[in-house]
Amino acid sequence: MKYFRTHILIGINDTSKQAGVDAFIKTLRESLTAAGLQEEINILETGPLGFFGKGICLTVYPDNVNYENVKVEDVAELVDEHFLKGRPVNRLMFDAGSKFTPKFNYESRIVLRNSGIIDPESIDEYLGTGGYEAWEKALQMKPMDIVDEVKKSGLRGRGGAGFPTGLKWSFTAPIECEQKYVVVNADEGEPGTFKDRLIMEGDPHQLLEGIMICAKAVGATKAYIYIRGEYKLSINRLKKAIEQCYNYGLLGKNIFESGFDLDIDLKIGAGAYVCGEETALIESLEGNRGNPRWKPPFPGVKGLWGCPTIVNNVETLANVPYIIKHGAEGYKKFGTPDCSGTKVYTILGDVAYPGLCEIDMGTTLRTIINEYAGGMKQGFRFKAALIGGAAGVILSDRLLDVKMDLNSLNQYSAVLGSGAILVMNENTSIVDMLWSILRFFRHESCGKCAPCRNGSQQLYDLINKIKKGQGTEDDLDKLLLIAETMQQTSFCALGQSPVMPIRSALDNFRDEFLALTKK
Amino acid sequence: MYQEIFSKYTPTKDNLIYILHDIQDSDPQHYISEEAVQAISEYLNLPANHIYGVITFYSMYSTTPRGKNIIRLCESPHCYIKGSENILRKMKNSLNVGVGETTKDGVFTLELCACLGVCGNAPVMMINDDVYGDLTEDKVDDILAKLREVK
Ligand SMILES: Cc1cc2nc3c(=O)[nH]c(=O)nc-3n(C[C@H](O)[C@H](O)[C@H](O)COP(=O)(O)O)c2cc1C
Ligand code: SF4
Ligand code: FES
């Protein structure tokens, strides 16, 4: 391996492509070569960098300088000043002026440990970090031993419901039948959520390795990744990664002479939030409308084409290689005793450093905002945070010290869900926010069952009335009553969800709603 | 004319979603015509009502002809808070169309959609396969003008 004095990491994603990152890289390469630096400075095209800047973003190591919105015209100055003379260009720095450097806590990263560090399109770089060692190990393990290890690790689903992963696998593994499937839920549609996209863009091989281990554990020989059609970059990177795996003999027939066969295929969704629900997703895979099925039987027993099917979230499976490689005990060093591991969050809104982070389960919301997102944006005060997207809760500052893990949040009937944290300043209207959430549910209700089909429309009508200042205090109670009725009677979790944002908004910000109602 | 697409897929129901994607993408007006539904119905041996049921369920499919460029502006909470309504107003004015409509010259169709998963750059829209983030009213005109030039 060659040693470089400096590494320039460039985030390749939709936004940077739009901003012309290809032309930028070409110019940068030429200028570095012209300055004779091509042997000293390495350019690495990589995935998410950990902060969300505008346009083309760079991180320079070891200087730890972040640039945003750099253009071809800036290359000369960057090379002259920073790369030749070692003086970072303040003008282009991400959030210039603030003294805060966001914590890039590489030490407690599992899922994102390679993200923004290796080239996601190169299997060799993944192998270079110890990739696919867990898969080799798993191939030699008994299926039930893999299941037990995952059970012991305490890993719980990261797709929203938080169901223990090892337990889910243990129902499917012993079933004797011709065909079983693994389906990866990459349909990420929860508003404000895109952690799965960042995982797939940043380190697609880690997800594939997790799928392989899961398939071996439950005895599935075919896996599908059901991914949103909008995630073009993830789709391309996964396609490439799968192809590389076949070329290296990591997938296919009789893998490494183990007698185990596995194929992985991508399936592209067509745009419906409800298809993230596991049984609706299966319907969609079969070529039907994405209406949820009745449970039980659960997919683990009777899923795709009637066969036992494990449905797991992207982040859940991306944790699995670490567990197999370092053992359940190694994994349990992260998180709290009853909720192990890390969680990937996307922090958005009025914070100084909107970005992506992976931290131990059980970290408080206050810590996340202050230490990982640099606190509030200058001049703004914290008012509320929407946690977990539309099917989430709106917390006020009274709950800033709640621990973010699956159990602690339950006490506040909140869910960790998707890991989306949207921070709002004191000028944001909670009524508007709730309006936008209820509009979302009205649109996404699949129409199969009456409580949700009609209820989501009624909720929208009510909040519309309130937003226009024509509501009464009674209407607030009605909102809650309808949502609670939906929670008790709806066919699937979509219709059971609106109660969470509604109740939390009314609990924490009732005065704001009252101020808008007619007396 | 659909044979080329059909030949890529075995005639099983699970391929319906992908056949629909391909047919819509290859149609200059980005929609699925009645003839297409008939042809799929014969190829997959499925009743037309099942195919229409699927088409109307998913937001990415259309049964009416659309413009050359499909604009999908995100209206989900985060983009909404960041001012997607202003972008929508601007876009309606610039294009002189309402939501779901196509410009007279057939160049643009304006649609709304749910979260595109690019909320870090809200407000966001997708035009065809490309994401446009950090939208401002000024940017909108630039983007539209550039796409108009493409023949
Ligand atoms: C309306 C609705 C949308 C959902 N969307 C997603 C999603 O986008 N991604 C996901 O992984 N799980 C989603 N889920 C949860 C899945 O049904 C399922 O619980 C999950 O994929 C199981 O994986 P896990 O155990 O690894 O979390 C959704 C559930 C509902 C009710
Ligand atoms: S609760 Fe809503 S989304 Fe779920 S089945 Fe009923 S109508 Fe469909
Ligand atoms: S809310 Fe608009 S992209 Fe996510």
Side-chain angles (χ1 to χ4, degrees), chain A residues 274 292 444-449 452-453 490-496:
Chain A
V274 70
E444 297 301 332
S445 165
C446 86
K448 180 179 172 116
C449 69
C452 168
R453 185 176 63 232
S490 289
F491 188 83
C492 86
L494 191 148
Q496 295 157 11

Side-chain angles (χ1 to χ4, degrees), chain A residues 18 197 267 288-289 422 439, chain B residues 18 53 58 75 78 117 131:
Chain A
Q18 211 62 58
R197 172 171 69 81
K267 294 283 176 188
N288 301 324
R289 291 165 68 92
L422 170 53
R439 175 174 67 175
Chain B
Y18 313 104
Y58 297 98
E75 60 163 357
H78 191 64
V131 176

Side-chain angles (χ1 to χ4, degrees), chain A residues 15 18 192 194 197 228 230 232 267-271 284-290 348 422 433 435-436 439, chain B residues 13-14 18 21 50 53 57-61 72 75 77-78 80-81 85 114-115 117 119-121 129 131-132:
Chain A
T15 356
Q18 211 62 58
F194 46 103
R197 172 171 69 81
R228 300 185 62 160
E230 286 90 350
K232 307 281 176 203
K267 294 283 176 188
I268 317 289
S284 177
L285 273 177
E286 293 183 2
N288 301 324
R289 291 165 68 92
L348 298 172
L422 170 53
M433 189 70 206
W435 176 81
S436 155
R439 175 174 67 175
Chain B
K13 192 176 68 176
D14 56 305
Y18 313 104
H21 269 311
H50 178 88
F57 186 85
Y58 297 98
S59 66
M60 283 169 118
Y61 301 133
R72 300 169 69 213
E75 60 163 357
H78 191 64
Y80 170 72
I81 290 281
E85 305 268 292
C115 180
C119 332
N121 298 90
D129 283 352
V131 176
Y132 296 81

Side-chain angles (χ1 to χ4, degrees), chain A residues 124-400:
Chain A
D124 291 323
E125 292 208 9
Y126 183 66
L127 289 167
T129 67
Y132 291 114
E133 281 172 17
W135 176 221
E136 261 188 86
K137 187 170 166 190
L139 275 173
Q140 287 148 24
M141 288 168 74
K142 283 207 206 69
M144 261 324 194
D145 292 343
I146 305 177
V147 173
D148 282 341
E149 203 62 37
V150 174
K151 235 187 202 170
K152 271 192 280 172
S153 77
L155 176 65
R156 290 165 64 178
R158 303 289 196 252
F163 192 81
T165 306
L167 188 62
K168 186 188 276 189
W169 295 7
S170 73
F171 299 136
T172 305
I175 301 177
E176 305 245 350
C177 63
E178 279 208 357
Q179 182 71 57
K180 297 180 205 172
Y181 296 101
V182 174
V183 172
V184 185
N185 192 341
D187 193 46
E188 202 163 51
E190 193 63 58
T193 308
F194 46 103
K195 57 162 182 102
D196 293 340
R197 172 171 69 81
L198 298 179
I199 293 169
M200 293 184 285
E201 282 178 12
D203 199 4
H205 282 288
Q206 186 171 223
L207 171 63
L208 295 183
E209 190 173 4
I211 299 170
M212 295 172 190
I213 297 168
C214 171
K216 164 84 186 176
V218 301
T221 53
K222 180 94 208 178
Y224 294 106
I225 305 174
Y226 185 93
I227 185 168
R228 300 185 62 160
E230 286 90 350
Y231 282 4
K232 307 281 176 203
L233 186 62
S234 301
I235 292 172
N236 287 338
R237 291 208 166 139
L238 281 169
K239 267 193 191 145
K240 248 186 217 162
I242 291 172
E243 204 181 292
Q244 290 167 347
C245 285
Y246 277 107
N247 290 339
Y248 276 57
L250 293 158
L251 285 175
K253 294 256 171 299
N254 192 13
I255 301 162
F256 294 141
E257 315 278 303
S258 65
F260 186 71
D261 305 339
L262 177 62
D263 288 305
I264 302 184
D265 219 349
L266 277 179
K267 294 283 176 188
I268 317 289
Y273 168 65
V274 70
C275 286
E277 200 282 333
E278 53 191 9
T279 58
L281 190 155
I282 289 173
E283 283 288 324
S284 177
L285 273 177
E286 293 183 2
N288 301 324
R289 291 165 68 92
N291 294 120
R293 291 179 184 170
W294 183 252
K295 295 189 271 195
F298 287 90
V301 178
K302 198 161 179 270
L304 190 58
W305 294 301
C307 302
T309 305
I310 292 288
V311 183
N312 267 138
N313 171 259
V314 170
E315 186 186 349
T316 313
L317 289 171
N319 272 290
V320 169
Y322 191 93
I323 295 171
I324 296 307
K325 196 163 159 189
H326 300 270
E329 290 311 313
Y331 186 78
K332 277 161 73 178
K333 292 201 184 93
F334 300 96
T336 64
D338 38 317
C339 197
S340 61
T342 59
K343 179 81 196 82
V344 179
Y345 298 97
T346 46
I347 315 171
L348 298 172
D350 302 311
V351 291
Y353 282 89
L356 158 80
C357 65
E358 176 178 356
I359 21 192
D360 283 74
M361 283 281 189
T363 310
T364 65
L365 184 56
R366 188 188 299 278
T367 309
I368 296 178
I369 293 176
N370 288 340
E371 288 184 24
Y372 296 90
M376 292 298 288
K377 206 187 269 176
Q378 243 183 1
F380 287 110
R381 273 191 43 219
F382 178 91
K383 176 175 182 177
L386 174 69
I387 314 281
V393 288
I394 303 177
L395 299 182
S396 70
D397 56 358
R398 284 189 295 128
L399 292 174
L400 270 176

Side-chain angles (χ1 to χ4, degrees), chain A residues 191-193, chain B residues 74-79 115-119 122 124:
Chain A
T193 308
Chain B
C74 170
E75 60 163 357
S76 281
H78 191 64
C79 288
C115 180
L116 292 165
V118 208
C119 332
V124 179

